[in-house]
Amino acid sequence: MSTGEASHEAEDKVRCEEALSEIYLLLDKECSPLRDAELRRHIEDCPPCLEEYGIDEQIKQLLHRKCGGDLAPADLKTRLRASIRQTVATRGGVTVERTEITVEQRTGE
């Protein structure tokens, strides 16, 4: 790590891995105002993260346009979730645990 990178991280508090793993939370305005400000400050000062943010923002806009405000097809949602999970796991070093719940409806006997 160079001296410039160390001072950047010391000032920033947010690491690239965190910013990249939370881009969709930021794009969907699902962060607290404080976290939103921290992430935006990092992204604006970090060219690689800014580029990734721009790409993801364009993907989100494209999906919105192509889905026309309707619900996205289930298959598309599944593929996007898998892709996002893979990206987060690969780039962010984040471990994601999944819990599956099955709901059964039983009729009275």
Side-chain angles (χ1 to χ4, degrees), residues 13-85:
K13 293 184 188 177
V14 176
R15 295 187 345 254
C16 292
E17 294 83 14
E18 292 174 289
L20 293 174
S21 68
E22 295 182 42
I23 279 179
Y24 277 93
L25 293 175
L26 183 63
L27 286 168
D28 292 335
K29 298 178 181 15
E30 294 179 357
C31 298
S32 70
L34 176 62
R35 189 62 174 166
D36 185 282
E38 290 172 344
L39 291 170
R40 286 185 189 281
R41 188 171 25 256
H42 173 85
I43 288 169
E44 288 170 4
D45 292 339
C46 180
C49 288
L50 181 60
E51 179 180 359
E52 186 65 33
Y53 176 82
I55 291 168
D56 289 341
E57 184 176 37
Q58 288 177 9
I59 289 170
K60 184 174 170 53
Q61 290 173 2
L62 176 66
L63 286 172
H64 180 72
R65 279 195 317 270
K66 294 299 179 182
C67 291
D70 295 333
L71 294 175
D75 182 49
L76 175 61
K77 287 181 182 179
T78 302
R79 289 188 321 223
L80 285 172
R81 282 189 188 110
S83 177
I84 291 168
R85 278 191 195 102

Side-chain angles (χ1 to χ4, degrees), residues 4 9 12 22 33 40 54 57 68 94 96 101 103:
E9 285 186 20
D12 195 346
E22 295 182 42
R40 286 185 189 281
E57 184 176 37
V94 175
V96 178
I101 299 172
V103 177

